[in-house]
Amino acid sequence: MRFILITIFLIISGSATAQQGNEALRSAAFLSVRATGGDQVHTIMELYGLADFACNTAVFLKLNGIKSEHTHLTAGKTYKMPIQSMKYNGSSIRSTTGIDDWKTAVQIRDYNHALLRKGVRDDDFTESRDLWIPWHIINCDKNGKTKKSTPDTKTPEAKPGKKVTPATAYGGEPTTSDNNRVFPIFGDKYAKTPLISSKLKGKIFYLVSGHGGPDPGARGKRAGITLCEDEYAYDVTLRLLRYLLSHGATAYMIVRDPNDGIRDQNYLKCDNDEVVWGNKTVPQNQKARLGQRTDIINALTEAHNKRGEEDQTVVEIHVDSRGKSTETDVFFYYRPNDEASLNLALHMHQIFIEKYNQKRGPSRRYSGTVTSRDLYTLRETNTHKAVYVELGNIQNDWDQQRIVLKNNRQAVANWIGQALSKK
Ligand SMILES: [Zn+2]
């Protein structure tokens, strides 16, 4: 089976789709495929049922910076295909893509099923929810001419009508236009993120909020309302991202919610539309979910290492779940047998001790802990440092205040940010 990978840095969407279809289609990622020995441009076009439309080949050449369609592809190298991959909503291709035309939807369906029959893909999009949309069906006329000649670069979170700048492959969180420091992921209220200092310039951070997508994580109850771990971990992580970006860091929000920016409400609505960097669907299976995230991080880590940017850190944030009466202060896990990770976790711990002594006074000592733990993301990532933060016990009334009150969410994010700013 040919190796298919949906790579993180291919967030290029054909603005030709902007007029047709919805936001998700406009920002859908392009598929990447690893070439095998003997592959040429036209053979790979053939295999993916794209060869009949010259526009597909034109886009392939453009996406991969290749001059001629007679070029031999390099075995083992990944190439971007003029095929967008997006999350199928389980009900219809038309509502998934925002394209009303019945015939177009049938064409897309048939294309996906044809590749399945051919063995080019091994999953049925209705099950895997991974819908492939070939360029020609939406963007080319019947003579195989692209209605708009070449694709533009675009980032996933672009709001309709909001012009977005190209997300450089390793530039971290994208802005809406060059250096305007407007980050759509934070939502309108917090998008504008002024540069406060450059103390984190050259430092790379991968922020992982726990769970997400089909997995809400642990759930607690407060005043009859369900608190979902993934929503609160997401909001604290998003606030941490903003802290790091405001100090000049390069930071990646690995789990991403297309329509929840930073939220100030106490009760954050549980939903399951989170995706991961590159607009990829979050798998149901836990191992696959964790593997997907670490693969993304490791690919970026490798790229930044190649650029000599080795100061790279993973921070994963969760909310723990224990017996209702158990109060649990923020505590830390670090990558086993990794001194740099231990030192970082100890430093975070120290900051929390100081902050809580100020906030709580001697009467209520901070009791958070630092321990090594063989957790998947800590073990499987290759960054210089990796720590895992548990924000408290989602079942406990007292601890719930730490996540329900926005100022507390902000305080925790700031403290973790300050610890990460240590020289
Ligand atoms: Zn968790």
Side-chain angles (χ1 to χ4, degrees):
M1 180 72 219
R2 177 181 295 273
F3 182 80
I4 296 174
L5 174 78
I6 299 177
T7 50
I8 36 203
F9 46 78
L10 52 96
I11 304 169
I12 304 175
S13 88
S15 60
T17 57
Q19 292 76 36
Q20 301 170 46
N22 55 25
E23 156 77 9
L25 176 54
R26 236 198 334 272
S27 55
F30 282 94
L31 204 69
S32 256
V33 167
R34 203 184 292 282
T36 54
D39 270 343
Q40 292 180 37
V41 176
H42 70 86
T43 56
I44 214 168
M45 288 289 115
E46 202 72 52
L47 182 68
Y48 281 81
L50 302 167
D52 297 348
F53 294 86
C55 57
N56 289 329
T57 307
V59 171
F60 181 87
L61 297 181
K62 171 81 186 175
L63 290 171
N64 297 289
I66 296 173
K67 295 254 170 324
S68 149
E69 61 184 291
H70 304 294
T71 306
H72 283 264
L73 305 180
T74 313
K77 188 171 170 235
T78 57
Y79 292 87
K80 299 171 204 164
M81 301 299 289
I83 299 171
Q84 288 174 285
S85 147
M86 64 181 298
K87 189 176 157 183
Y88 177 60
N89 65 9
S91 64
S92 81
I93 289 176
R94 291 191 298 162
S95 59
T96 297
T97 59
I99 293 178
D100 272 338
D101 179 53
W102 176 256
K103 225 169 86 261
T104 304
V106 170
Q107 277 180 303
I108 293 170
R109 182 200 63 198
D110 294 351
Y111 175 80
N112 282 269
H113 285 160
L115 290 194
L116 181 60
R117 273 195 307 281
K118 232 170 126 180
V120 174
R121 61 179 299 176
D122 53 15
D123 58 315
D124 184 320
F125 76 86
T126 56
E127 278 140 34
S128 68
R129 302 291 172 99
D130 186 8
L131 181 66
W132 292 4
I133 295 133
W135 181 261
H136 67 272
I137 289 182
I138 300 204
N139 301 292
C140 307
D141 59 25
K142 55 186 169 322
N143 310 319
K145 288 242 167 326
T146 293
K147 289 173 197 144
K148 181 162 193 266
S149 63
T150 55
D152 292 340
T153 51
K154 224 170 194 186
T155 47
E157 281 84 26
K159 293 245 167 331
K162 262 219 177 120
K163 177 93 192 59
V164 296
T165 67
T168 53
Y170 309 118
E173 193 54 39
T175 55
T176 56
S177 71
D178 284 356
N179 308 324
N180 74 345
R181 303 204 57 82
V182 174
F183 299 87
I185 195 160
F186 298 131
D188 293 346
K189 184 174 176 194
Y190 289 98
K192 182 76 183 169
T193 305
L195 186 65
I196 298 169
S197 86
S198 297
K199 67 180 177 187
L200 296 174
K201 196 164 176 16
K203 289 181 180 250
I204 319 292
F205 297 95
Y206 306 101
L207 307 184
V208 184
S209 59
H211 313 278
D215 168 26
R219 276 169 284 195
K221 271 263 186 239
R222 189 177 182 83
I225 297 169
T226 300
L227 308 177
C228 288
E229 173 187 2
D230 73 322
E231 302 298 335
Y232 288 92
Y234 185 78
D235 197 72
V236 170
T237 309
L238 210 47
R239 290 169 188 269
L240 173 59
L241 175 73
R242 192 162 187 269
Y243 178 99
L244 298 172
L245 293 174
S246 69
H247 290 287
T250 299
Y252 298 86
M253 187 76 179
I254 302 299
V255 177
R256 313 174 68 77
D257 190 300
N259 46 35
D260 284 331
I262 291 176
R263 290 166 284 178
D264 289 338
Q265 304 94 301
N266 289 5
Y267 295 106
L268 305 182
K269 193 169 157 308
C270 300
D271 64 16
N272 57 12
D273 59 352
E274 294 83 9
V275 293
V276 291
W277 182 269
N279 211 27
K280 289 301 311 150
T281 311
V282 176
Q284 287 275 355
N285 170 280
Q286 194 208 16
K287 196 127 189 301
R289 188 170 60 244
L290 296 174
Q292 180 190 50
R293 292 161 197 207
T294 48
D295 286 351
I296 290 170
I297 293 170
N298 288 340
L300 287 166
T301 303
E302 194 191 329
H304 281 288
N305 278 337
K306 280 203 187 109
R307 294 150 56 110
E309 298 161 328
E310 284 155 11
D311 187 341
Q312 306 193 51
T313 306
V314 168
V315 181
E316 180 158 2
I317 296 178
H318 285 247
V319 188
D320 204 4
S321 183
R322 304 185 177 186
K324 205 167 169 14
S325 60
T326 311
E327 280 176 24
T328 313
D329 276 339
V330 177
F331 64 98
F332 308 93
Y333 294 123
Y334 64 91
R335 180 191 287 145
N337 314 316
D338 184 314
E339 202 187 338
S341 299
L342 166 59
N343 291 338
L344 176 58
L346 287 172
H347 185 64
M348 275 186 186
H349 186 247
Q350 188 54 41
I351 295 252
F352 274 73
I353 290 172
E354 287 157 20
K355 296 292 180 184
Y356 272 119
N357 283 350
Q358 285 164 23
K359 271 183 78 128
R360 288 181 178 169
S363 63
R364 205 187 166 93
R365 289 230 160 278
Y366 164 69
S367 61
T369 57
V370 173
T371 40
S372 84
R373 182 139 182 224
D374 186 26
L375 292 160
Y376 191 98
T377 314
L378 296 179
R379 184 182 63 243
E380 300 296 328
T381 49
N382 310 324
T383 53
H384 182 47
K385 289 163 273 186
V387 290
Y388 189 108
V389 184
E390 291 273 13
L391 298 176
N393 173 11
I394 202 166
Q395 310 301 338
N396 176 269
D397 287 348
W398 173 265
D399 289 0
Q400 282 177 353
Q401 299 173 88
R402 192 172 310 131
I403 58 171
V404 161
L405 302 173
K406 70 165 171 104
N407 290 343
N408 290 346
R409 294 201 293 271
Q410 189 60 50
V412 168
N414 292 348
W415 298 351
I416 296 171
Q418 283 160 30
L420 293 168
S421 310
K422 176 174 177 270
K423 278 281 164 269

